[in-house]
Amino acid sequence: MSRPVMKREIIEESAIRLFATKGLARTTIKDIAAAAGVTEGALYRWYDGKEEMAWKLFNRELDQFTRLVSDVLFDDRMSFDLRLGLAVQTIYDYYQYNSDQFAFILLTQHGFPEDKLLTRETEPMNLAVNFVGEAMGAGEIEPCDADLYAGLLMGVIMQPLVLHRYGKIELSPETPGLVTSACLRMLGFQS
Amino acid sequence: MSRPVMKREIIEESAIRLFATKGLARTTIKDIAAAAGVTEGALYRWYDGKEEMAWKLFNRELDQFTRLVSDVLFDDRMSFDLRLGLAVQTIYDYYQYNSDQFAFILLTQHGFPEDKLLTRETEPMNLAVNFVGEAMGAGEIEPCDADLYAGLLMGVIMQPLVLHRYGKIELSPETPGLVTSACLRMLGFQS
DNA sequence: TGTACATCAGTGAACGCGCGTTCACTGATGTAC
DNA sequence: TGTACATCAGTGAACGCGCGTTCACTGATGTAC
């Protein structure tokens, strides 16, 4: 093509947007190609197939997101509660400004076959476990089941975003702060 | 057939189990028929098609679950915190003893097309909103954004089950109690 | 500078397979008389 | 009681369509000399 920008990026953006709205299974190659203004074959220049493309995009987006979050979550120049608050803010900002990417990783995380069970250091759950473990070790929160509390933390932070995505609740600039407070109370943080 | 029990039930159980493990899209009619020990056509005696069957089963299972939960959640002979604790216990019991049904409603709730957006009185989210609203009205918890707090409540209660389903955390007999305590702390319940 | 060739993103038409669905049928059970 | 017919859950083979995928190709751009 004569256009300077590669169609590859357009294809990937279209795919992520469609995956995030219609879901992986309900999005066809034809859909993606049409949205990107490209023929169906173009996709195979860059990927072996639909499944492989989805999987690679998922990992790329998840990596980017978790890196962003862990950067503030484990910045030990700040106090425990401040780090949590900033992480929540980062997540909610990410949701607001990269809603397709966010919805894509959030909603398709369980849409892959079993053999794709991702176990990696940067996995969100591991982030939460490490964070709770650190806070417990530092005596900032009472001793507890770190795995369980990490799960609770994830639930509290993520659920409002899921519900917003499906039009069940509204978000406001105050929401991240309210969520953070709720987390701290739940963890029994002594403020 | 000569067997006294209707194959219909076997078909439905097989379908739910497969939907819960492989997901809606990755489960084929052939899969269901094979699991039920039946030919593919048998399914169409009872349902118009795969999608319709999934949708009807989903609503049936969701109704049963929410009825069970709302029975204890709104039993006004009990105190606020006791009702919450019993509801959590009910949910975790349901997860343990009807894991396929539970995973089915939990994991396919967002797998239907947009026009299937269920807005009903018995929807889990509405249960939570009403509960928080009641508790707030009775002065048992501080005034707050009922919708948001209902979402947080759902997140805390459900997330451990999702994580357990994917092998990320373990559950114990103490888990429901720990989850309930976490909920009460989060809500600022004055015990 | 022009010429010959290599590279490579993207085309467009075709393919074939797996899937959901259909339908004439079977055979067991129930019912009327 | 036996006979004739209706009902209906489930069969089994076929169908056709939509889907992901393939591949010979085009045409623009880069490169060697």
Side-chain angles (χ1 to χ4, degrees):
Chain A
M1 283 299 293
S2 55
R3 291 187 54 193
V5 59
M6 286 261 176
K7 299 273 177 121
R8 173 174 182 164
E9 291 174 35
I10 308 180
I11 293 173
E12 292 174 347
E13 284 168 16
S14 304
I16 289 175
R17 180 160 27 83
L18 287 166
F19 288 155
T21 50
K22 303 179 59 177
L24 225 115
R26 300 189 121 87
T27 301
T28 67
I29 297 282
K30 203 181 278 280
D31 289 336
I32 299 170
V38 140
T39 54
E40 296 159 71
L43 201 147
Y44 293 86
R45 169 89 17 209
W46 307 106
Y47 295 100
D48 285 347
K50 179 189 170 184
E51 202 76 0
E52 198 236 22
M53 179 175 74
W55 182 241
K56 285 197 169 163
L57 291 178
F58 174 75
N59 282 284
R60 191 188 74 185
E61 295 300 326
L62 183 60
D63 277 346
Q64 191 187 322
F65 171 71
T66 51
R67 200 168 311 117
L68 214 62
V69 174
S70 68
D71 276 352
V72 300
L73 202 53
F74 298 109
D75 183 342
D76 50 19
R77 294 170 303 180
M78 292 184 290
S79 67
F80 171 76
D81 56 335
L82 190 55
R83 279 149 63 185
L84 182 64
L86 275 179
V88 172
Q89 187 67 54
T90 303
I91 293 169
Y92 278 63
D93 283 349
Y94 196 89
Y95 173 79
Q96 188 175 0
Y97 298 112
N98 306 70
S99 56
D100 286 333
Q101 288 92 327
F102 191 89
F104 172 51
I105 58 179
L106 194 64
L107 305 177
T108 64
Q109 59 179 325
H110 299 137
F112 292 103
E114 291 192 18
D115 57 309
K116 296 277 171 80
L117 284 174
L118 57 154
T119 318
R120 49 166 74 180
E121 205 50 42
T122 61
E123 200 186 343
M125 181 59 186
N126 285 336
L127 254 56
V129 171
N130 291 339
F131 182 69
V132 172
E134 266 191 26
M136 225 170 62
E140 303 247 35
I141 62 173
E142 293 294 308
C144 63
D145 180 340
D147 283 6
L148 178 63
Y149 275 61
L152 301 179
L153 212 49
M154 283 189 61
V156 173
I157 296 170
M158 295 299 184
Q159 190 70 12
L161 301 180
V162 175
L163 290 171
H164 180 264
R165 178 81 189 179
Y166 290 103
K168 305 284 184 191
I169 66 172
E170 293 179 358
L171 298 178
S172 81
E174 285 76 37
T175 310
L178 292 172
V179 169
T180 304
S181 307
C183 286
L184 293 173
R185 279 200 307 278
M186 183 181 72
L187 293 174
F189 179 77
Q190 12 270 10
S191 55
Chain B
M1 284 300 292
S2 56
R3 290 187 54 194
V5 59
M6 288 262 178
K7 298 273 177 126
R8 174 174 181 165
E9 292 174 35
I10 308 180
I11 293 172
E12 292 173 347
E13 285 167 15
S14 304
I16 289 175
R17 180 159 27 85
L18 286 166
F19 288 156
T21 49
K22 302 178 59 175
L24 226 115
R26 300 189 122 87
T27 301
T28 67
I29 297 283
K30 203 181 277 281
D31 289 337
I32 299 170
V38 140
T39 53
E40 294 159 71
L43 202 147
Y44 293 86
R45 167 91 17 209
W46 307 107
Y47 295 100
D48 285 347
K50 179 189 170 184
E51 202 77 0
E52 198 234 22
M53 179 177 73
W55 182 241
K56 285 197 169 163
L57 290 178
F58 174 75
N59 281 285
R60 192 188 74 185
E61 295 301 325
L62 184 60
D63 278 347
Q64 191 188 322
F65 172 71
T66 51
R67 200 167 313 117
L68 214 61
V69 173
S70 68
D71 277 351
V72 300
L73 202 55
F74 297 109
D75 183 343
D76 50 19
R77 294 170 304 180
M78 293 184 290
S79 67
F80 171 75
D81 55 335
L82 191 55
R83 279 149 62 186
L84 182 63
L86 275 179
V88 172
Q89 186 67 54
T90 302
I91 293 169
Y92 278 62
D93 282 348
Y94 197 89
Y95 173 78
Q96 188 176 2
Y97 297 112
N98 306 70
S99 56
D100 286 332
Q101 287 92 327
F102 191 89
F104 172 51
I105 58 180
L106 193 65
L107 305 178
T108 64
Q109 60 179 325
H110 299 138
F112 292 103
E114 290 192 20
D115 58 309
K116 297 277 170 79
L117 284 174
L118 58 153
T119 318
R120 48 166 73 179
E121 204 51 40
T122 62
E123 200 185 344
M125 180 59 186
N126 285 336
L127 255 54
V129 171
N130 291 338
F131 181 69
V132 171
E134 265 191 27
M136 226 170 63
E140 303 247 36
I141 61 174
E142 293 294 308
C144 63
D145 180 341
D147 282 5
L148 178 63
Y149 274 61
L152 300 180
L153 212 49
M154 283 189 61
V156 173
I157 295 170
M158 294 300 182
Q159 190 71 10
L161 300 180
V162 175
L163 290 171
H164 179 264
R165 179 80 189 177
Y166 290 104
K168 305 285 185 190
I169 67 170
E170 292 178 358
L171 299 178
S172 80
E174 286 75 38
T175 310
L178 292 172
V179 169
T180 304
S181 306
C183 287
L184 292 172
R185 280 200 306 278
M186 183 181 71
L187 293 174
F189 179 77
Q190 12 271 10
S191 56

